[in-house]
Amino acid sequence: DQQVKQNSPSLSVQEGRISILNCDYTNSMFDYFLWYKKYPAEGPTFLISISSIKDKNEDGRFTVFLNKSAKHLSLHIVPSQPGDSAVYFCAASASYTGNQFYFGTGTSLTVIP
Amino acid sequence: AAGVIQSPRHLIKEKRETATLKCYPIPRHDTVYWYQQGPGQDPQFLISFYEKMQSDKGSIPDRFSAQQFSDYHSELNMSSLELGDSALYFCASSGVGGGAGAQYFGPGTRLLVL
């Protein structure tokens, strides 16, 4: 049972424009969320996190929005750069389960120069 | 900055052999996690350790075992390897003991079982 879903397997965006990656989850107990990006043959790289007490967290070009009522979070990248082309994973965890994270299946972002 | 180190980066074994994967967390990180990512799949959580004690267990087969040592490095031991064990094995570490926190991943060990 996939508790974290990324319904768009791929996304193409023009350089300079905004990239919006979406993630949905089913477990209302999730209270901490992460976004990672992954290049081929490399480990995931942590991007940004958000806890359920907030609805927005911003770090440079990356902003994560959390809508708890809709069980939805999104990652905005603006402006998008060609070097952002990678696979992006969202992950979620619940405090009561300790350290276990559940990952989405990833969205492959291509930023077109 | 120092990152998570995994060794070896690539490993080829035959069925029924054993393998040991090593993970060296970021300095001062006390929690280590192991994930298995099969071809075309998302990472699956295997097991985690906090302060040298197992803290959480996921879908780790009984043929696998792991431990965290006094220097906080961790080893994943895999016995009676099967073809289906071929995957990318990631280790991650975090500095928030016992609770949710950003996990920093190593580059992974690619295991191929023939």
Side-chain angles (χ1 to χ4, degrees):
Chain A
D1 180 30
Q2 191 76 24
Q3 297 194 47
V4 178
K5 299 178 184 178
Q6 294 175 254
N7 293 318
S8 297
S10 63
L11 175 69
S12 291
V13 172
Q14 206 72 33
E15 180 180 4
R17 297 290 184 96
I18 184 172
S19 296
I20 301 176
L21 296 97
N22 294 304
C23 179
D24 297 293
Y25 59 95
T26 58
N27 189 343
S28 59
M29 298 300 291
F30 286 149
D31 55 10
Y32 193 79
F33 305 88
L34 306 172
W35 280 96
Y36 290 95
K37 73 175 180 182
K38 184 178 181 301
Y39 296 113
E42 294 184 15
T45 302
F46 170 75
L47 278 176
I48 193 168
S49 65
I50 189 168
S51 73
S52 59
I53 62 173
K54 301 173 84 170
D55 54 20
K56 176 183 174 182
N57 190 24
E58 190 173 352
D59 184 3
R61 295 184 299 114
F62 301 92
T63 303
V64 56
F65 294 92
L66 176 63
N67 183 334
K68 291 183 286 294
S69 60
K71 297 194 188 69
H72 177 85
L73 68 157
S74 60
L75 175 68
H76 292 210
I77 307 173
V78 56
S80 301
Q81 300 173 353
D84 296 329
S85 297
V87 179
Y88 288 77
F89 291 93
C90 66
S93 75
S95 299
Y96 78 96
T97 64
N99 300 321
Q100 185 169 348
F101 276 79
Y102 297 85
F103 286 82
T105 50
T107 297
S108 178
L109 172 67
T110 302
V111 180
I112 304 165
Chain B
V4 176
I5 298 171
Q6 288 187 248
S7 68
R9 293 294 309 276
H10 299 90
L11 189 59
I12 300 175
K13 292 285 185 178
E14 295 192 346
K15 284 194 305 183
R16 292 179 289 278
E17 284 192 319
T18 61
T20 297
L21 279 56
K22 297 184 179 182
C23 171
Y24 297 86
I26 291 172
R28 292 183 295 280
H29 278 190
D30 52 15
T31 308
V32 170
Y33 315 79
W34 285 98
Y35 293 88
Q36 176 192 60
Q37 184 173 22
Q41 299 177 7
D42 51 313
Q44 295 293 319
F45 171 73
L46 293 178
I47 195 167
S48 63
F49 293 87
Y50 166 62
E51 282 292 344
K52 292 150 280 184
M53 299 287 290
Q54 180 182 309
S55 57
D56 207 355
K57 193 171 182 180
S59 51
I60 184 169
D62 292 339
R63 299 176 289 108
F64 294 5
S65 65
Q67 56 181 323
Q68 186 179 31
F69 295 86
S70 58
D71 63 352
Y72 294 100
H73 95 272
S74 178
E75 295 184 3
L76 177 66
N77 298 294
M78 310 158 74
S79 62
S80 302
L81 286 170
E82 301 174 356
L83 296 179
D85 296 330
S86 296
L88 194 54
Y89 290 83
F90 288 108
C91 166
S93 74
S94 72
V96 181
Q103 297 182 20
Y104 295 84
F105 282 76
T109 294
R110 186 170 295 281
L111 172 66
L112 179 61
V113 181
L114 303 176

